[in-house]
Amino acid sequence: DEISGSIVKQLDAAFDFYKRNTKKPWHKEGEGTVVEPEYDDIAITEALVNAIIHRDYNIVGAEVCLNIYDNRIEITSPGMMVSGKKIPQIVDYPMESTRRNPIIADVFNRMNLMNRRGSGLSNITNRTNALFHDGRNHVTYTSEDGFFTVKIENAKYKGKTGLIDETK
């Protein structure tokens, strides 16, 4: 889908696209229903919000991209880390955060679309990893070639994802 409009409308449309193209399997257990989602909705929202807030709007012709595959979701945003530092592949702790677009961040904060500064990546990692119940990492981050990318594994995918290099 090509999404246009205000950044808030773009966020809503991107989340709707995500919801239409992912599943939430469920089963009955006792007298209740147990939902077993492929992804954590809050983690996906956080990743989309981060992509919009930290995007480098000076890179002409580049866009935030949400790609959904069988085994993962990839969200790519124009712009490297604002600090210029290399990002660790695994982030499961709050880290220092520099806002590239403080006005957009302030608006999203006032709309309760983002949490406290520096906690976004660890929230994405920890909420996603909780779906797997295996003690392993299922989210990776890269910041290279002018783009920041988050890859989030599908918790219900039965094949090998290959996102995490176990040899390192």
Side-chain angles (χ1 to χ4, degrees):
D1 285 355
E2 288 284 328
I3 298 172
S4 60
S6 72
I7 57 175
V8 174
K9 286 184 180 180
Q10 289 178 38
L11 174 63
D12 289 342
F15 192 77
D16 288 344
F17 176 81
Y18 150 75
K19 296 290 274 184
R20 283 192 317 271
N21 291 284
T22 59
K23 300 177 183 101
K24 283 200 173 182
W26 58 272
H27 68 272
K28 291 287 189 182
E29 194 170 286
E31 293 186 26
T33 302
V34 176
V35 178
E36 298 176 338
E38 294 178 317
Y39 303 95
D40 182 275
D41 288 350
I42 294 172
I44 298 300
T45 300
E46 185 82 40
L48 289 169
V49 166
N50 282 348
I52 292 168
I53 289 173
H54 296 296
R55 173 186 172 170
D56 186 344
Y57 287 90
N58 292 317
I59 301 176
V60 178
E63 322 174 307
V64 171
C65 293
L66 165 62
N67 294 306
I68 301 174
Y69 302 95
D70 290 341
N71 65 340
R72 70 189 183 284
I73 285 179
E74 291 184 14
I75 299 171
T76 303
S77 180
M80 308 255 299
M81 293 289 289
V82 178
S83 66
K85 294 180 181 176
K86 184 172 171 71
I87 185 158
Q89 190 177 33
I90 300 170
V91 180
D92 58 358
Y93 54 89
M95 58 185 290
E96 86 178 52
S97 174
T98 304
R99 295 179 178 183
R100 177 177 277 125
N101 303 298
I103 294 171
I104 295 172
D106 184 56
V107 169
F108 274 56
N109 186 27
R110 290 171 189 252
M111 295 174 65
N112 295 317
L113 292 171
M114 63 178 281
N115 293 327
R116 69 180 193 275
R117 194 165 141 168
S119 65
L121 300 185
S122 63
N123 286 342
I124 295 165
T125 301
N126 295 330
R127 293 187 70 89
T128 297
N129 289 344
L131 294 176
F132 287 84
H133 311 290
D134 65 2
R136 295 179 51 226
N137 183 58
H138 299 276
V139 180
T140 57
Y141 303 94
T142 56
S143 182
E144 58 192 22
D145 300 327
F147 290 87
F148 185 93
T149 302
V150 57
K151 295 179 184 177
I152 304 171
E153 292 182 17
N154 180 332
K156 297 301 164 201
Y157 184 72
K158 300 299 182 200
K160 182 172 175 19
T161 63
L163 288 183
I164 309 302
D165 183 355
E166 297 291 335
T167 61
K168 292 185 179 180

